[in-house]
Amino acid sequence: MKLPAELSDGVALFLSRLIFAGCLTLIALWIGKGQIAFVLFSIVFMYFGRRLGWWLSKASLYGDPLPVILVECVIWGGLVAYVIHSLIAWHQPHWILKWVFGFGAGSYVSSPNFGLVMESSIPDHAYPRHFTITNLPFLAFIICSILFAYKL
């Protein structure tokens, strides 16, 4: 059975990105600890974190009731902050890399719906939910990052 062209192109694109991310991970593991490994792990985290965030947005954030969304958004922001904190603690990168590839990647991934929909296509009645889904995880990421940095 042959797959439709657009589905096979999507599968091929996904597989090529998966292989690329896997190769970056293997190189980072081969290098071990350090600056370059931190950058490679950050790039892989950005790719998989963005895909997981989009999946979370499509699967539940735009359809669940508001209290569930609030909890999911706080958990997402805290989880992203924990992953970034763990990467920083593991590799001890230079402060420039820590801010650009650590907190920059975390900020990008912490908004699960970033780049998923065009802002202009959101109806007025749905904008407060979209605004919450975009900004609450980012706020949770910032607060959790500060708490993890000071081990509170």
Side-chain angles (χ1 to χ4, degrees):
M1 183 171 159
K2 190 166 178 145
L3 294 174
E6 63 272 353
L7 182 60
S8 66
D9 289 345
V11 170
L13 181 63
F14 173 74
L15 288 176
S16 68
R17 289 181 178 171
L18 186 64
I19 290 169
F20 179 72
C23 289
L24 284 180
T25 304
L26 287 175
I27 292 169
L29 289 171
W30 179 65
I31 291 172
K33 273 174 71 169
Q35 313 296 324
I36 296 173
F38 177 76
V39 170
L40 294 176
F41 276 121
S42 296
I43 291 170
V44 170
F45 172 70
M46 279 194 312
Y47 176 74
F48 286 115
R50 170 63 38 228
R51 297 292 175 214
L52 191 60
W54 283 351
W55 174 82
L56 178 67
S57 294
K58 292 176 191 175
S60 66
L61 291 179
Y62 283 100
D64 287 348
L66 187 61
V68 174
I69 290 170
L70 296 176
V71 170
E72 288 176 339
C73 286
V74 170
I75 290 172
W76 179 256
L79 182 65
V80 170
Y82 179 74
V83 170
I84 292 297
H85 175 74
S86 298
L87 276 175
I88 290 171
W90 181 23
H91 294 285
Q92 298 295 315
H94 188 269
W95 69 269
I96 294 174
L97 292 177
K98 184 188 301 184
W99 281 94
V100 173
F101 282 97
F103 298 121
S107 299
Y108 174 68
V109 172
S110 69
S111 295
N113 62 351
F114 185 78
L116 184 62
V117 294
M118 290 179 47
E119 295 281 331
S120 61
S121 68
I122 300 168
D124 289 338
H125 70 278
Y127 191 76
R129 176 182 288 253
H130 175 75
F131 184 81
T132 302
I133 293 169
T134 301
N135 294 310
L136 182 61
F138 178 67
L139 181 64
F141 168 75
I142 291 172
I143 291 170
C144 290
S145 293
I146 292 170
L147 291 175
F148 288 143
Y150 292 105
K151 305 211 186 328
L152 298 176

